[in-house]
Short mmCIF file of all heavy atoms in Angstrom, two decimals:
data_model
loop_
_atom_site.label_atom_id
_atom_site.label_comp_id
_atom_site.label_asym_id
_atom_site.label_seq_id
_atom_site.Cartn_x
_atom_site.Cartn_y
_atom_site.Cartn_z
N SER M 15 16.32 -0.40 -0.76
CA SER M 15 16.69 -1.59 0.01
C SER M 15 15.31 -2.43 0.02
O SER M 15 14.20 -2.07 -0.27
CB SER M 15 16.86 -1.24 1.47
OG SER M 15 15.78 -0.74 2.17
N MET M 16 15.54 -3.74 0.41
CA MET M 16 14.50 -4.67 0.39
C MET M 16 13.38 -4.42 1.35
O MET M 16 12.23 -4.46 1.02
CB MET M 16 14.96 -6.07 0.56
CG MET M 16 13.84 -7.18 0.23
SD MET M 16 13.26 -7.14 -1.40
CE MET M 16 14.58 -7.65 -2.41
N GLU M 17 13.85 -3.87 2.47
CA GLU M 17 12.82 -3.47 3.56
C GLU M 17 11.94 -2.31 2.94
O GLU M 17 10.65 -2.24 3.10
CB GLU M 17 13.45 -2.96 4.79
CG GLU M 17 14.44 -4.03 5.53
CD GLU M 17 15.81 -3.74 5.22
OE1 GLU M 17 16.02 -3.50 3.95
OE2 GLU M 17 16.62 -3.69 6.13
N ASP M 18 12.58 -1.19 2.33
CA ASP M 18 11.83 -0.19 1.77
C ASP M 18 10.89 -0.63 0.64
O ASP M 18 9.80 -0.12 0.50
CB ASP M 18 12.77 0.99 1.30
CG ASP M 18 13.61 1.51 2.42
OD1 ASP M 18 13.17 1.47 3.64
OD2 ASP M 18 14.67 1.96 2.14
N PHE M 19 11.47 -1.55 -0.14
CA PHE M 19 10.64 -2.07 -1.34
C PHE M 19 9.34 -2.81 -0.80
O PHE M 19 8.29 -2.54 -1.28
CB PHE M 19 11.53 -3.09 -2.07
CG PHE M 19 10.83 -3.68 -3.20
CD1 PHE M 19 10.73 -3.05 -4.38
CD2 PHE M 19 10.32 -5.09 -3.12
CE1 PHE M 19 10.19 -3.66 -5.53
CE2 PHE M 19 9.84 -5.57 -4.27
CZ PHE M 19 9.69 -4.87 -5.47
N VAL M 20 9.48 -3.55 0.27
CA VAL M 20 8.33 -4.32 0.89
C VAL M 20 7.42 -3.30 1.51
O VAL M 20 6.17 -3.44 1.40
CB VAL M 20 8.76 -5.34 1.79
CG1 VAL M 20 7.64 -6.02 2.51
CG2 VAL M 20 9.53 -6.56 0.97
N ARG M 21 7.93 -2.31 2.31
CA ARG M 21 7.02 -1.35 2.99
C ARG M 21 6.28 -0.60 1.93
O ARG M 21 5.14 -0.26 2.20
CB ARG M 21 7.92 -0.43 3.85
CG ARG M 21 8.41 -1.12 5.08
CD ARG M 21 9.01 -0.01 6.07
NE ARG M 21 9.85 -0.64 6.98
CZ ARG M 21 11.14 -0.42 6.97
NH1 ARG M 21 11.80 0.12 6.04
NH2 ARG M 21 11.86 -1.10 7.99
N GLN M 22 6.90 -0.20 0.87
CA GLN M 22 6.21 0.55 -0.20
C GLN M 22 4.99 -0.23 -0.74
O GLN M 22 3.96 0.20 -0.91
CB GLN M 22 7.17 0.85 -1.33
CG GLN M 22 6.54 1.74 -2.41
CD GLN M 22 7.57 1.91 -3.48
OE1 GLN M 22 7.95 0.96 -4.18
NE2 GLN M 22 7.95 3.16 -3.77
N ARG M 23 5.21 -1.57 -1.05
CA ARG M 23 4.16 -2.43 -1.54
C ARG M 23 3.07 -2.68 -0.48
O ARG M 23 1.96 -2.73 -0.73
CB ARG M 23 4.71 -3.79 -1.90
CG ARG M 23 5.12 -3.92 -3.45
CD ARG M 23 6.02 -2.93 -3.82
NE ARG M 23 6.38 -2.95 -5.32
CZ ARG M 23 7.18 -2.14 -5.81
NH1 ARG M 23 7.82 -1.21 -5.19
NH2 ARG M 23 7.50 -2.31 -7.14
N GLN M 24 3.56 -2.77 0.72
CA GLN M 24 2.50 -2.84 1.84
C GLN M 24 1.55 -1.64 1.91
O GLN M 24 0.44 -1.73 2.13
CB GLN M 24 3.18 -3.11 3.21
CG GLN M 24 3.77 -4.45 3.31
CD GLN M 24 4.45 -4.65 4.70
OE1 GLN M 24 5.29 -3.81 5.09
NE2 GLN M 24 4.15 -5.73 5.41
N ARG M 25 2.18 -0.46 1.73
CA ARG M 25 1.47 0.72 1.73
C ARG M 25 0.41 0.76 0.60
O ARG M 25 -0.68 1.23 0.79
CB ARG M 25 2.36 1.96 1.70
CG ARG M 25 1.73 3.30 1.85
CD ARG M 25 2.65 4.46 1.94
NE ARG M 25 3.17 4.80 0.58
CZ ARG M 25 4.38 4.77 0.15
NH1 ARG M 25 5.34 4.43 0.96
NH2 ARG M 25 4.71 5.09 -1.07
N TRP M 26 0.91 0.36 -0.56
CA TRP M 26 0.00 0.40 -1.69
C TRP M 26 -1.12 -0.60 -1.52
O TRP M 26 -2.34 -0.36 -1.84
CB TRP M 26 0.80 -0.08 -2.96
CG TRP M 26 1.78 0.89 -3.43
CD1 TRP M 26 2.05 2.16 -3.02
CD2 TRP M 26 2.79 0.66 -4.45
NE1 TRP M 26 3.10 2.78 -3.65
CE2 TRP M 26 3.53 1.91 -4.57
CE3 TRP M 26 3.11 -0.37 -5.32
CZ2 TRP M 26 4.56 1.99 -5.44
CZ3 TRP M 26 4.18 -0.25 -6.20
CH2 TRP M 26 4.98 0.83 -6.30
N ALA M 27 -0.83 -1.81 -0.94
CA ALA M 27 -1.85 -2.82 -0.61
C ALA M 27 -2.86 -2.26 0.30
O ALA M 27 -4.11 -2.43 0.16
CB ALA M 27 -1.23 -4.05 -0.18
N ASN M 28 -2.37 -1.65 1.38
CA ASN M 28 -3.29 -1.10 2.42
C ASN M 28 -4.16 -0.03 1.79
O ASN M 28 -5.34 -0.04 2.15
CB ASN M 28 -2.39 -0.53 3.51
CG ASN M 28 -1.76 -1.63 4.48
OD1 ASN M 28 -2.18 -2.68 4.50
ND2 ASN M 28 -0.65 -1.21 5.07
N GLY M 29 -3.57 0.88 1.10
CA GLY M 29 -4.33 1.94 0.40
C GLY M 29 -5.46 1.44 -0.43
O GLY M 29 -6.58 1.86 -0.53
N THR M 30 -5.05 0.43 -1.32
CA THR M 30 -6.08 -0.18 -2.21
C THR M 30 -7.18 -0.91 -1.54
O THR M 30 -8.38 -0.77 -1.87
CB THR M 30 -5.40 -1.17 -3.28
OG1 THR M 30 -4.28 -0.43 -3.87
CG2 THR M 30 -6.36 -1.53 -4.38
N LEU M 31 -6.84 -1.64 -0.52
CA LEU M 31 -7.78 -2.43 0.31
C LEU M 31 -8.66 -1.46 1.11
O LEU M 31 -9.92 -1.64 1.23
CB LEU M 31 -7.16 -3.38 1.23
CG LEU M 31 -6.35 -4.58 0.46
CD1 LEU M 31 -5.50 -5.36 1.53
CD2 LEU M 31 -7.33 -5.44 -0.22
N GLN M 32 -8.07 -0.36 1.61
CA GLN M 32 -8.82 0.57 2.39
C GLN M 32 -9.93 1.21 1.50
O GLN M 32 -11.04 1.60 2.03
CB GLN M 32 -7.99 1.71 2.95
CG GLN M 32 -8.68 2.74 3.83
CD GLN M 32 -8.08 4.13 3.57
OE1 GLN M 32 -7.57 4.45 2.48
NE2 GLN M 32 -8.06 4.96 4.62
N SER M 33 -9.61 1.36 0.21
CA SER M 33 -10.51 2.06 -0.67
C SER M 33 -11.93 1.44 -0.88
O SER M 33 -12.88 2.02 -1.20
CB SER M 33 -9.89 2.26 -2.05
OG SER M 33 -9.90 1.04 -2.75
N LEU M 34 -11.96 0.09 -0.56
CA LEU M 34 -13.19 -0.59 -0.59
C LEU M 34 -14.30 -0.01 0.32
O LEU M 34 -15.49 -0.12 -0.03
CB LEU M 34 -13.05 -2.15 -0.18
CG LEU M 34 -12.17 -2.93 -1.17
CD1 LEU M 34 -11.93 -4.33 -0.57
CD2 LEU M 34 -12.82 -3.04 -2.59
N GLY M 35 -13.91 0.54 1.38
CA GLY M 35 -14.93 1.14 2.24
C GLY M 35 -15.21 2.60 2.20
O GLY M 35 -15.89 3.18 2.86
N LEU M 36 -14.47 3.24 1.17
CA LEU M 36 -14.58 4.77 0.96
C LEU M 36 -15.68 5.10 -0.06
O LEU M 36 -16.03 4.24 -1.00
CB LEU M 36 -13.32 5.25 0.42
CG LEU M 36 -12.07 5.09 1.38
CD1 LEU M 36 -10.83 5.62 0.73
CD2 LEU M 36 -12.33 5.81 2.76
N PRO M 37 -16.34 6.17 0.12
CA PRO M 37 -17.44 6.57 -0.79
C PRO M 37 -16.98 6.66 -2.26
O PRO M 37 -17.76 6.41 -3.17
CB PRO M 37 -17.91 7.97 -0.31
CG PRO M 37 -17.39 7.96 1.14
CD PRO M 37 -16.23 7.15 1.17
N HIS M 38 -15.73 6.97 -2.52
CA HIS M 38 -15.22 7.09 -3.90
C HIS M 38 -14.41 5.91 -4.24
O HIS M 38 -13.74 5.81 -5.25
CB HIS M 38 -14.30 8.34 -4.03
CG HIS M 38 -15.04 9.61 -3.77
ND1 HIS M 38 -16.04 9.99 -4.61
CD2 HIS M 38 -14.92 10.63 -2.95
CE1 HIS M 38 -16.53 11.18 -4.28
NE2 HIS M 38 -15.88 11.56 -3.16
N GLY M 39 -14.55 4.73 -3.45
CA GLY M 39 -13.81 3.57 -3.73
C GLY M 39 -14.57 2.79 -4.80
O GLY M 39 -15.61 3.11 -5.31
#
């Protein structure tokens, strides 16, 4: 569904952006 599609991309975006502050980012 479109909601699930967008939530999945939001999760990917959040994870990638969060990595900037991680020691292994």
Side-chain angles (χ1 to χ4, degrees):
S15 73
M16 190 57 73
E17 302 101 313
D18 297 332
F19 181 78
V20 170
R21 287 194 199 102
Q22 184 184 62
R23 267 58 182 179
Q24 286 178 311
R25 188 178 75 240
W26 294 351
N28 288 335
T30 307
L31 294 172
Q32 182 219 29
S33 71
L34 291 175
L36 298 177
H38 295 300

